Amino acid sequence: MTNKNQVAIIQKDITDDVNKSLTRLQDDGLQLPVNYNASNALKSAFFKLREIKDKNGKPALEVCTRESVANSLLDMVVQGLSPAKTQCYFIVYGNQLQLNRSYFGTQAVLKRLMNVKDIWANVIFDGDVFDYEIDGGREKLLKHETKFQNRDNDILGAYAVVKTSDDEEILTVMTKKEIHAAWGQSKSKGQAVHNKFPQEMAKRTVINRAAKAFINTSDDSDLLVDAINRSTENEYENERKDVTPVEDAQQQIEQHANSEEIDFADDQKEESEQEIIDAPKEKTEHSKQAETQSQVQQESQQQTINDMPSW
């Protein structure tokens, strides 16, 4: 898979298979965003994939199984995400390719849900005035006052707000300790990205916490929900430490296979039939923040992977 002709053939074959599977899912009721172009998203994804390497410096398209590449791309288009908009990125885990969402991507996905009007997250800095209460069993934001100079202070926590179609605002709050505990479950060894971009990663963490609870109680298509959950949990470690990555990946495949499977012609299969792994993140107004998110993603791709996810 090292020359351009081989890569082009692989790209065409996988794209064809993803499009066939996507058509079946749409026949089953999956609806893509009105302005979403799956073909353009796939082209953008393959452009990114040619730049991605594993921890040993080998190209992703060389070391990853064709099935894992196709399944990651399928999850991408099911969620209506685009790498060109920094909404998602890919990481190599052993011989498996996995899809992760960015902060922008999670916001975009949540806005696709039927009863979500908007979602946002903010960081609470030392010196801020932050207050909330429990109203009817739910957390409710009362006040958050901050100053520009506080952004250089220590982070005390973060919160996310999901605004529903009936204008209800659902609050999720995480303390610094809770955020660090979530980072401790990340596959990124040493948490270099978290330490370098703590504000962005804190917002990403709390927005994922809010999304997880909200998505699993929504009435939207299970096809969409399954894809969202897989991408969310792809970046977190499995609590089991007594199995190797290869053994754990195989267990995930055998025990948690998804019902939708990418079909390959017999002469294209590199492995025996392998099903999709059922492994159980709004672009801001400033281009500088988008550039920061892109840097976060690029560094995330280079981190050493430890275990499979379960968070």
Side-chain angles (χ1 to χ4, degrees), residues 122-134:
N122 286 308
V123 175
I124 305 167
F125 298 96
D126 188 19
D128 287 3
V129 177
F130 178 78
D131 193 17
Y132 74 103
E133 66 176 7
I134 305 297

Side-chain angles (χ1 to χ4, degrees), residues 7-23:
V7 172
I9 293 173
I10 292 172
Q11 178 174 342
K12 181 182 184 303
D13 290 343
I14 293 179
T15 299
D16 289 344
D17 289 312
V18 171
N19 284 329
K20 290 177 183 177
S21 294
L22 183 61
T23 298

Side-chain angles (χ1 to χ4, degrees), residues 152-296:
D152 289 331
N153 296 343
D154 290 339
I155 294 176
L156 301 182
Y159 65 92
V161 178
V162 178
K163 188 172 185 178
T164 65
S165 55
D166 56 3
D167 290 330
E168 180 184 9
E169 295 186 354
I170 301 175
L171 177 68
T172 298
V173 181
M174 295 182 72
T175 65
K176 179 180 180 178
K177 185 176 181 179
E178 291 173 325
I179 291 171
H180 283 182
W183 290 357
Q185 292 298 309
S186 171
K187 291 180 179 178
S188 299
K189 187 175 182 180
Q191 301 172 22
V193 181
H194 304 78
N195 295 329
K196 188 172 183 179
F197 304 101
Q199 297 181 22
E200 291 304 309
M201 297 305 290
K203 288 194 290 185
R204 183 182 180 196
T205 299
V206 73
I207 210 170
N208 274 334
R209 174 72 61 85
K212 185 173 182 179
F214 198 86
I215 289 168
N216 290 333
T217 58
S218 74
D219 294 328
D220 289 82
S221 166
D222 287 342
L223 298 170
L224 173 60
V225 171
D226 285 345
I228 294 173
N229 284 336
R230 276 195 297 275
S231 298
T232 300
E233 299 185 11
N234 270 346
E235 64 181 282
Y236 295 98
E237 291 184 351
N238 192 306
E239 294 178 354
R240 292 190 60 187
K241 306 295 183 182
D242 58 335
V243 295
T244 66
V246 172
E247 291 171 339
D248 199 17
Q250 186 60 39
Q251 291 173 9
Q252 293 288 342
I253 295 168
E254 295 174 352
Q255 299 175 10
H256 305 288
N258 188 275
S259 58
E260 174 60 32
E261 179 178 310
I262 294 289
D263 295 323
F264 294 90
D266 291 339
D267 59 349
Q268 294 176 336
K269 289 190 177 180
E270 300 176 345
E271 307 266 343
S272 60
E273 291 185 1
Q274 180 177 15
E275 296 178 333
I276 295 176
I277 298 175
D278 188 11
K281 277 166 185 341
E282 129 199 313
K283 203 165 193 176
T284 64
E285 296 177 354
H286 306 291
S287 60
K288 183 177 180 181
Q289 187 171 355
E291 293 173 358
T292 298
Q293 180 64 43
S294 179
Q295 295 176 31
V296 171

